[in-house]
Amino acid sequence: MAELNIFHYHPANSVIHRMDARFKLIWMLVFNIICTFASSPVQLALLTIITLTALSLSQLQLSSLLKEIKSFLVFMVFIILFQTLSTPGKPILDITIWSFTPTYEGFLSSLTLGWRLLLIILVCNIFISSTSLSTIRNAIQSLLQPLPFINEAKVATMFSLLFVVIPVILDQALEISDAQQSRCIALRKNYIQKLILFCYPLLLNTFLKADQIVTAMEARCYSEFRTRPTFNPTLSDWYLFLSFTGTCLIILFF
Amino acid sequence: MALLETINLTHTFTNGFTAIKDINLSIQKGDFIIIAGANGSGKTVLIRHFNGLLAPTKGEVLIEGTNINHDLLNARKTVGLIFQDSNNQIVGQTVAEDVAFGPENLGLPQSEITDRVTTALIAVQLLELSDQRPHTLSGGQKRKLAIAGVLAMLPKLLVFDEPFTGLDYPGVVQVLEQIISLHQNGHTIVVVTHELEKILAHANRLIIMQHGQIIHDDHPAKLINLVESFGIKRPYGENRGVESMTWLS
């Protein structure tokens, strides 16, 4: 069965798990923005300390988080290699690969970029690993509530349905692909025709499925005036939120 | 007073096809009804009128004497519809969240939602799976989850559309036991199926549909010998009694 494997909630009873999801979401956004602007190694080192503190408070294993983001790590290695080879400057070695020369400047800037990306990915992963999808949905709904022209209930429902429907569509895609493979579609040479033959039933099924889901939701009285999620932030939530966010903001002006 | 009544119910689609025509049906509290008929006989179109998912072209549907158009919300609460494909009915990210979907739509307080979810999950024996992702459940469990999602809205009438389709033997038994238990607990049951050998023994009425019309509506024992002429397989055994037509031993 298909699943969205990049999103994994690891249930636990840590301070970070118990923390009000709205605070976590805001802190994650603040952290990511500051990380984008951080350029000096001192700033990045301080942000790393914050990340490791959050990680330790969340009781999540660094090794398991790194395992989950291993595909990102491979991607980062490519970025570092590309930037090292493509940035002009003082050569590290006297070698040239297809007219590209590795430079000190390129290596240092790619390390900074990689460090930044790693921190952002780790913090996002800590957030996702410590917050269930339904709680994230409720937090988004609660944070969007004061904003004008945005129907927060609709956004929350769409967020919810996304994670329900995508695995079903992926299953269907797999089934269609298997059915076509068993009828020797591989022998066809025209890739565009193969794509059309795959997409047509998939889209048809997806729209039919969407129609059936809407009917089933209607049968269960779906409306936008649903029971709203409630949050009760504790003193410890406020303390954690203010200390984390405050430290991040101080780092920005370091 | 009938729990649900249809009077001259007719539905014609925009392409001119008349799916059901002049259906007069009365469902009493405590009934256990099987609606059978060949594909395209209008069974699914009929039951979609029971809670207002389809509006009649002609005629009306009454719930406890009131036209459902006057109170559509009450119709949706009173008549719980369990669809053929459970995947289409599941919208929550966990089992408990999916069951909570209906009560949340009704705007109930959180404490009542929690109570209803727990009660519904206990009723279908899925309480221990409440934090599991619905996508990972077996076919039978998914069907039970769909039932729980409807039960949480406290319906009086439960309508099952082809509840055994795609299920293996244990899955059929699980769902069948669930349906019978719901009937014993006071729910009125309507099951749309042509797999009579699995459930007919438990029904007190068999309705046979053909070309969008109700042809027969009587006790199963009186109709069982007629079913094959309407495109429905009679369970094996010429002299076999209706009371043996169940997959429960």
Side-chain angles (χ1 to χ4, degrees), chain A residues 1-4 7-8 132-135 137 157 159-161 163-164 167-168 171 209 212-213 215-223 225-228 230, chain B residues 48 51 53 73 76-77 81 83 85 87-93 97-99 101-110 113 133 135-136 142 149-150 153:
Chain A
M1 269 184 291
E3 271 197 273
L4 283 180
F7 298 100
H8 269 305
S132 70
L133 281 171
S134 54
T135 318
R137 179 201 63 193
T157 306
F159 181 85
S160 233
L161 283 178
F163 291 96
V164 173
V168 177
D171 275 343
K209 184 81 52 188
Q212 286 162 348
I213 289 173
T215 309
M217 285 170 72
E218 212 181 315
R220 287 164 80 189
C221 306
Y222 175 72
S223 82
F225 308 102
R226 313 178 68 225
T227 307
R228 291 189 180 281
T230 48
Chain B
R48 287 193 178 199
N51 67 352
L53 285 175
L73 184 64
R76 303 240 161 113
K77 284 197 281 185
L81 203 57
F83 291 82
D85 186 352
N87 281 323
N88 296 334
Q89 202 169 328
I90 296 168
V91 291
Q93 287 148 28
E97 269 176 39
D98 185 69
V99 179
F101 178 77
E104 279 173 2
N105 290 335
L106 300 177
L108 300 174
Q110 198 56 52
I113 293 174
R133 280 179 255 184
H135 195 60
T136 62
K142 277 186 188 169
V150 167
M153 299 179 75

Side-chain angles (χ1 to χ4, degrees), chain B residues 128-139:
Chain B
E128 68 278 16
L129 301 178
S130 51
D131 291 326
Q132 200 154 321
R133 280 179 255 184
H135 195 60
T136 62
L137 299 180
S138 71

Side-chain angles (χ1 to χ4, degrees), chain B residues 9 23 36 43 46 79 107 127 136 140 152-153 163 181 210 241:
Chain B
L9 186 65
I23 302 271
K43 306 180 297 282
L46 172 64
V79 182
L127 188 64
T136 62
M153 299 179 75
S181 152
Q210 192 182 41

Side-chain angles (χ1 to χ4, degrees), chain B residues 14-26:
Chain B
T14 43
N15 62 4
F17 174 70
T18 300
I20 51 171
K21 196 179 172 193
D22 291 327
I23 302 271
N24 289 297
L25 171 67
S26 174

